[in-house]
Amino acid sequence: MIMTVTELCSAILGVAAVLALAARVFLRPRILQVDESLARIERHLEKINGSIGKMSEWEHQHELDHARGER
């Protein structure tokens, strides 16, 4: 049996589509875990950024107090 180039390309694309679907089904739980981990990291970064903002405000106030001779 001799296949034409078009038939060969069609067969290869069919196999690729099946493999892509299998990979998606197989990897879906891992992708969800990664998404959850990234969301957790983003929440931690938001808390850190909030803390840095508060610290900067405190440092600014401390500098103002120090400039006025207050401690």
Side-chain angles (χ1 to χ4, degrees):
M1 178 176 141
I2 299 176
M3 296 178 76
T4 65
V5 173
T6 304
E7 291 171 332
L8 179 62
C9 288
S10 260
I12 291 171
L13 289 175
V15 170
V18 169
L19 290 174
L21 180 60
R24 183 175 177 197
V25 169
F26 178 73
L27 293 175
R28 182 165 171 75
R30 183 65 181 138
I31 291 169
L32 292 175
Q33 287 176 340
V34 170
D35 285 345
E36 291 170 2
S37 296
L38 289 174
R40 199 167 41 251
I41 290 168
E42 287 174 348
R43 286 192 301 272
H44 286 300
L45 289 175
E46 287 172 2
K47 288 180 183 178
I48 290 169
N49 285 337
S51 296
I52 290 171
K54 290 178 185 174
M55 181 59 78
S56 296
E57 291 170 12
W58 179 86
E59 288 173 338
H60 179 69
Q61 187 59 47
H62 178 73
E63 292 296 321
L64 290 175
D65 292 346
H66 186 68
R68 285 183 264 174
E70 301 174 8
R71 290 212 167 207

